[in-house]
Amino acid sequence: MKKLIALLLVSLSMALPVQADDGIKVVYHLSEGLEQARNGLRNVSNHLSIDPKAKVVVVSHALGVDFMMEGAKDKAGNPFDVTVQELIAQGVVFRVC
């Protein structure tokens, strides 16, 4: 539990992998709005393309939850829900704090 609490403090730009008995676990932290979410979700996708067995949790709060709202789109008009559903299908867990 202490490892999880410590990981929640990690910023998006410094997602911290932890080696555990059952593989790599990492938490991505989103709190700064749609642009950070777009970049963060791309980073998660890239991470999984390199290590598909990684256990990934995306923790969002404050403006970081905006991308999960119904109809949310990035600056180019791309909906976030498609990417989120693709990541969920790969085992990514999304949490709101």
Side-chain angles (χ1 to χ4, degrees):
M1 185 65 169
K2 289 182 181 179
K3 284 184 183 178
L4 181 59
I5 292 170
L7 287 176
L8 292 176
L9 300 176
V10 177
S11 72
L12 173 64
S13 63
M14 295 181 58
L16 178 65
V18 174
Q19 182 68 42
D21 293 338
D22 55 348
I24 298 291
K25 296 180 180 182
V26 64
V27 173
Y28 285 83
H29 173 238
L30 302 174
S31 64
E32 297 179 18
L34 298 179
E35 186 67 18
Q36 183 195 34
R38 183 181 64 83
N39 293 332
L41 296 177
R42 184 179 50 233
N43 288 344
V44 172
S45 293
N46 291 342
H47 187 141
L48 290 172
S49 70
I50 303 277
D51 184 7
K53 294 182 181 181
K55 309 287 191 243
V56 179
V57 177
V58 176
V59 177
S60 302
H61 68 93
L63 296 175
V65 302
D66 290 352
F67 77 97
M68 289 188 269
M69 304 304 271
E70 187 174 334
K73 296 179 180 178
D74 66 16
K75 286 192 294 190
N78 301 310
F80 281 99
D81 61 342
V82 173
T83 303
V84 170
Q85 290 303 318
E86 288 171 353
L87 292 173
I88 289 172
Q90 295 178 66
V92 175
V93 176
F94 288 83
R95 296 286 186 246
V96 175
C97 178

